[in-house]
Amino acid sequence: GNSVTQMEGPVTLSEEAFLTINCTYTATGYPSLFWYVQYPGEGLQLLLKATKADDKGSNKGFEATYRKETTSFHLEKGSVQVSDSAVYFCALFTGANSKLTFGKGITLSVRP
Amino acid sequence: DTEVTQTPKHLVMGMTNKKSLKCEQHMGHRAMYWYKQKAKKPPELMFVYSYEKLSINESVPSRFSPECPNSSLLNLHLHALQPEDSALYLCASSQEVSRHEQFFGPGTRLTVL
């Protein structure tokens, strides 16, 4: 079956630090990959996506590259801000079961 | 309009009450979803509607009853809930079930006393 593995958290960084959040996946077929962000007290927002191998998704300074050879979709940002403090979920979708499969999520706290 | 709206934002109910959650989207999406999210956990899929018909029920207890009156509206009727049903209930929509980009609403925070 499909699964998504995210690195263990929480992660605490100082403002302007470099961010990497690891995500690897197992899937049948050719999944689409997503990063969702959930700010405190809110629903999920799609942060970025990639639908095929070697695609790079980017938004708000965040980037992730779909790596088929390593089955990974790591999230990066060059300089985090306090406003980036949130929970980040990696997810995949395949047409086989028409469902989003989420990782466990990781809490990011950025201190001034 | 690229929003999914949900009402109410917060709901407190007793175990004998009947209440409903409402979700609305005006993006012309034909697939709508209910998820349940417990604190510090990822969302868990409950139901999927495609073209106003229930297409997936993830073995959800019958005390949760979904309804899709039209392509823009999705309801979740609640009856005889248990305290462990307290959670954030998220609605989402996508163009079709096979179109993977799902847009989420802000959720309803449900507390069952």
Side-chain angles (χ1 to χ4, degrees):
Chain A
N2 297 339
S3 67
V4 175
T5 302
Q6 291 184 234
M7 59 185 275
E8 292 290 325
V11 172
T12 302
L13 295 173
S14 296
E15 203 164 24
E16 299 183 4
F18 183 85
L19 169 71
T20 298
I21 300 177
N22 289 344
C23 172
T24 57
Y25 67 89
T26 302
T28 51
Y30 302 95
S32 295
L33 301 173
F34 304 88
W35 278 101
Y36 281 89
V37 59
Q38 187 171 32
Y39 298 102
E42 298 185 11
L44 273 68
Q45 297 179 25
L46 178 64
L47 181 59
L48 53 83
K49 66 177 181 181
T51 57
K52 62 183 187 299
D54 299 325
D55 267 1
K56 178 187 280 188
S58 61
N59 186 24
K60 300 182 181 180
F62 290 90
E63 292 183 340
T65 301
Y66 188 145
R67 302 282 188 205
K68 190 162 182 268
E69 63 276 13
T70 54
T71 61
S72 65
F73 193 54
H74 304 320
L75 183 68
E76 296 183 336
K77 187 174 185 183
S79 176
V80 292
Q81 306 299 312
V82 172
S83 56
D84 294 326
S85 298
V87 181
Y88 291 81
F89 292 98
C90 185
L92 70 81
F93 180 95
T94 65
N97 62 8
S98 298
K99 297 178 189 177
L100 268 177
T101 301
F102 288 94
K104 289 185 177 180
I106 187 168
T107 301
L108 170 66
S109 298
V110 180
R111 52 176 184 245
Chain B
D1 186 353
T2 57
E3 272 194 340
V4 176
T5 59
Q6 290 188 243
T7 54
K9 194 171 174 64
H10 300 277
L11 178 63
V12 179
M13 60 186 291
M15 289 191 284
T16 58
N17 292 158
K18 286 185 182 181
K19 296 286 185 185
S20 297
L21 310 184
K22 181 179 169 182
C23 172
E24 197 163 0
Q25 58 88 13
H26 294 288
M27 295 180 277
H29 289 175
R30 303 315 299 266
M32 296 185 78
Y33 311 79
W34 280 116
Y35 289 85
K36 173 183 178 180
Q37 186 181 24
K38 300 285 267 186
K40 301 190 185 299
K41 298 287 186 184
E44 298 173 12
L45 184 65
M46 300 174 71
F47 302 104
V48 180
Y49 272 82
S50 177
Y51 288 85
E52 299 156 51
K53 289 189 176 359
L54 183 65
S55 65
I56 296 176
N57 176 343
E58 290 287 278
S59 304
V60 178
S62 60
R63 57 186 185 270
F64 295 91
S65 175
E67 180 197 18
C68 190
N70 60 55
S71 59
S72 300
L73 275 176
L74 186 66
N75 298 321
L76 186 63
H77 302 299
L78 314 172
H79 173 54
L81 294 193
Q82 304 297 310
E84 59 265 29
D85 297 321
S86 298
L88 181 68
Y89 287 84
L90 294 164
C91 175
S93 71
S94 63
Q95 275 192 297
E96 295 183 0
V97 170
S98 60
R99 293 292 187 102
H100 30 73
E101 188 166 329
Q102 294 184 18
F103 295 82
F104 284 81
T108 292
R109 177 76 58 189
L110 173 67
T111 303
V112 182
L113 300 176

